[in-house]
């Protein structure tokens, strides 16, 4: 099952393709074709077949905002954003000066993504270049398509986590040259947020974004009210928080901004005009107590929204858990996020937000062979709930509300099976 195009928030079912008993043929890491099993089985005599009858075949999930060094920050009690950064996040991130710690955490992090069916993510590393080396080394060993970058911070961060405008830029250029376009790796210029960079560093990053137009930009914006007040004090001459990034040339196509909760109409229109995209991070917005993202306003303004787990502010690597919270955040605002749109947000919508829809996000001939198998009977409760109807979108909705890593039976990236879940049979 997959999205052929954007089904819209209320879910135009004709945008969804569901093939019963289909086979996806993979050759050299790419999808060769997808067809009804009985129409091509005879031709595949000598080809090994992985039989997943009863499962839903979906494109690999895409997480457009996550922090790999925050594995050990997840589920930290009792703070909102600015205190949470000081108290829990910065102390953990300092440990990534040690390449051994960075490598071990990168392995752990990617294995969690894979067991949750995520095959592409846009990842924040720490200020240390060795943290980027660790992440891309581990993702290339697994054949994953990953976007990542070193955080730049030259103020308002503790010792051991600051670069200078000059050293940060020097390291950034070295990392772009080493990793951008290498295997399936893509580089993101990563100002942590406007509060931790001086205007000088912001300007230098904007200049690099122009010099390397195929790289990504990723950052945070308009997440929390105290953060927004602080930004207004640090950058008093700007109309809005988003305008700070715009002023320094950091709002452009291939730029991904996490949260975007407190944007106004002018900001949303500007994002669309610039080609910048919001990453909606519901588990984080609820956990940190940041606020409720209004999906409908963003879509109406033409924003290409995608979905982020934002772990460690977020509480799960699972895009299914993330969708469950996305649904509830919209319900609280009187809008029901359809299962078709949920599927879109986690797959083709993510690919479009990252301008990668020609390579990933759906299971079509010529695209990279990243896909997952979902088990509608993964738990006794899911088995009972999905027995209620054989409508694939209703089954996906049940998975969206009740599923997690237990529902991911297998994960393939670049045509290779990276994960198979050992399941207990549910009667
Ligand atoms: N704003 C600046 N840094 C961070 C971070 O690490 N997580 C979240 N959720 N927001 C941020
Ligand atoms: Zn974040």
């Amino acid at each position: 099952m997959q999205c052929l195009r954007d089904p819209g928030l209320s879910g135009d079912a004709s945008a969804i393709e569901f093939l019963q008993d289909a086979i996806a043929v993979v050759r050299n890491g790419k999808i060769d074709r997808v067809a009804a099993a009985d129409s091509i089985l005879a031709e595949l005599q000598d080809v090994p077949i992985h039989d997943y009858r009863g499962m839903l075949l979906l494109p690999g999930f895409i997480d457009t905002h996550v922090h790999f060094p925050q594995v050990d920050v997840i589920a930290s009690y009792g703070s909102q954003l600015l205190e949470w950064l000081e108290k829990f996040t910065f102390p953990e991130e300092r440990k990534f000066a040690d390449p051994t710690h960075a490598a071990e955490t990168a392995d752990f992090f990617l294995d969690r993504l894979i067991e949750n069916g995520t095959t592409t993510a846009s990842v924040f590393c720490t200020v240390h270049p060795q943290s980027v080396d660790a992440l891309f080394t581990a993702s290339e060993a697994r054949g994953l398509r990953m976007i990542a970058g070193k955080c730049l911070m030259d103020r308002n961060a503790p010792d051991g986590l600051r670069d200078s405008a000059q050293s940060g830029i020097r390291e950034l250029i070295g990392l772009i040259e080493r990793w951008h376009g290498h295997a399936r790796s893509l580089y993101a210029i990563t100002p942590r947020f406007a509060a931790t960079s001086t205007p000088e560093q912001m300007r230098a990053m904007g200049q690099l974004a122009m010099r390397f137009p195929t790289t990504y930009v990723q950052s945070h914006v308009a997440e929390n009210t105290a953060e927004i007040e602080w930004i207004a004090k640090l950058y008093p001459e700007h109309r809005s928080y988003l305008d700070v990034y715009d002023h320094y040339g950091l709002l452009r196509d291939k730029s991904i901004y996490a949260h975007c909760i407190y944007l106004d109409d002018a900001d949303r229109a500007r994002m669309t005009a610039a080609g910048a995209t919001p990453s909606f991070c519901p588990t984080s917005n609820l956990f940190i107590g940041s606020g409720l993202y209004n999906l409908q306003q963003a879509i109406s303004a033409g924003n290409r929204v995608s979905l982020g787990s934002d772990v460690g502010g977020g509480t799960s690597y699972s895009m299914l858990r993330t969708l469950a919270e996305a649904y509830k955040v919209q319900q609280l605002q009187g809008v029901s996020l359809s299962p078709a749109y949920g599927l879109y947000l986690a797959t083709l919508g993510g690919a479009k937000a990252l301008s990668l829809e020609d390579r990933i996000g759906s299971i079509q001939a010529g695209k990279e062979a990243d896909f997952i198998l979902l088990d509608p009977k993964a738990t006794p409760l899911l088995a009972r709930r999905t027995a209620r109807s054989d409508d694939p979108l209703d089954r996906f909705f049940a998975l969206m509300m009740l599923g997690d890593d237990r529902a991911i039976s297998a994960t393939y990236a670049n045509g290779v099976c990276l994960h198979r879940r050992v399941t207990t049979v549910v009667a």
Side-chain angles (χ1 to χ4, degrees):
M1 183 164 72
Q2 63 177 339
C3 296
L4 300 173
R5 55 189 153 77
D6 181 349
L9 192 51
S10 55
D12 171 4
S14 73
I16 306 300
E17 180 178 64
F18 175 73
L19 300 177
Q20 189 88 43
D21 289 329
I23 292 187
V25 182
V26 173
R27 193 192 298 264
N28 299 330
K30 296 255 169 71
I31 311 278
D32 190 60
R33 62 190 159 138
V34 181
D38 49 8
S39 71
I40 55 167
L41 255 181
E43 293 170 43
L44 301 173
Q45 299 287 351
D46 303 324
V47 179
I49 298 208
H50 303 201
D51 186 341
Y52 289 107
R53 269 175 281 197
M55 306 280 170
L56 276 175
L57 173 69
L58 258 56
F61 288 144
I62 297 171
D63 179 345
T64 61
H65 183 80
V66 62
H67 300 252
F68 106 80
Q70 295 181 14
V71 164
D72 296 306
V73 177
I74 196 166
S76 294
Y77 173 76
S79 299
Q80 294 226 346
L81 179 64
L82 299 177
E83 186 189 67
W84 174 87
L85 283 172
E86 291 285 337
K87 198 166 153 185
F88 303 113
T89 305
F90 289 156
E92 275 306 321
E93 294 197 4
R94 284 172 74 160
K95 297 180 185 164
F96 287 73
D98 172 6
T100 308
H101 179 68
E104 184 275 323
T105 310
D107 282 332
F108 181 89
F109 165 78
L110 291 173
D111 289 342
R112 302 292 75 69
L113 291 197
I114 290 165
E115 77 188 358
N116 280 288
T118 297
T119 49
T120 288
S122 193
V123 183
F124 276 55
C125 303
T126 63
V127 73
H128 314 97
Q130 52 270 42
S131 72
V132 179
D133 292 337
L135 194 273
F136 279 136
T137 300
S139 67
E140 291 193 0
R142 289 163 177 78
L144 295 165
R145 182 164 283 293
M146 282 286 145
I147 299 171
K150 156 197 150 66
C151 270
L152 278 92
M153 297 198 269
D154 68 345
R155 65 167 164 174
N156 295 321
D159 290 349
L161 279 186
R162 283 189 314 274
D163 44 28
S164 69
Q166 295 77 15
S167 69
I169 294 302
R170 208 179 325 111
E171 289 169 352
L172 180 48
I173 293 171
L175 289 166
I176 292 173
E177 287 172 348
R178 194 169 326 146
W179 294 111
H180 186 58
H182 187 266
R184 300 185 80 200
S185 305
L186 294 164
Y187 198 84
I189 297 169
T190 307
R192 182 181 207 110
F193 64 151
T196 44
S197 289
T198 56
E200 187 190 359
Q201 190 174 56
M202 295 287 279
R203 189 169 305 110
M205 284 186 280
Q207 284 164 354
L208 275 196
M210 274 226 301
R211 180 168 149 201
F212 297 101
T214 62
T215 59
Y216 290 80
V217 172
Q218 57 178 353
S219 195
H220 299 89
V221 74
E223 174 178 6
N224 166 283
T225 49
E227 170 211 23
I228 293 168
E229 283 165 24
W230 190 26
I231 296 289
K233 288 203 184 95
L234 292 171
Y235 295 92
E237 64 279 19
H238 293 281
R239 192 198 73 79
S240 70
Y241 187 170
L242 189 78
D243 187 52
V244 177
Y245 295 110
D246 200 5
H247 175 81
Y248 290 106
L250 292 163
L251 207 66
R252 61 147 157 91
D253 201 30
K254 291 195 171 174
S255 64
I256 307 136
Y257 282 88
H259 310 302
C260 297
I261 299 172
Y262 301 102
L263 298 188
D264 62 15
D265 286 346
D267 287 331
R268 279 187 287 271
R270 180 64 197 127
M271 277 200 102
T272 298
T277 68
S279 178
F280 171 27
C281 303
T283 75
S284 168
N285 298 161
L286 294 171
F287 180 75
I288 301 187
S290 300
L292 304 179
Y293 183 68
N294 190 317
L295 203 43
Q296 200 166 44
Q297 277 179 346
I299 294 168
S300 302
N303 292 173
R304 279 176 289 153
V305 185
S306 59
L307 204 59
S309 67
D310 194 27
V311 170
T315 50
S316 174
Y317 289 110
S318 166
M319 285 291 108
L320 295 173
R321 304 285 342 111
T322 307
L323 280 170
E325 301 311 288
Y327 178 82
K328 295 170 198 169
V329 166
Q330 300 316 306
Q331 283 288 90
L332 281 170
Q333 299 172 94
V335 170
S336 301
L337 191 171
S338 63
Y341 197 72
L343 178 64
Y344 178 75
L345 276 178
T347 58
L348 188 61
K352 285 193 175 177
L354 301 175
S355 302
L356 287 174
E357 70 272 25
D358 57 333
R359 302 189 199 182
I360 57 171
S362 60
I363 305 169
Q364 285 182 337
K367 284 203 180 180
E368 295 166 0
D370 292 352
F371 49 78
I372 56 178
L373 282 306
L374 263 65
D375 182 0
K377 296 190 170 126
T379 67
L381 182 59
L382 263 169
R384 190 165 173 137
R385 167 62 180 82
T386 54
R388 210 160 91 186
S389 138
D390 55 12
D391 169 20
L393 277 174
D394 182 64
R395 288 190 160 187
F396 183 71
F397 185 66
L399 284 157
M400 204 170 121
M401 299 315 296
L402 304 173
D404 51 32
D405 54 305
R406 293 168 296 175
I408 310 298
S409 266
T411 303
Y412 288 73
N414 220 22
V416 176
C417 182
L418 296 180
H419 168 71
R420 272 201 82 153
R421 193 177 160 77
V422 182
T423 45
T424 43
V425 177
V426 177

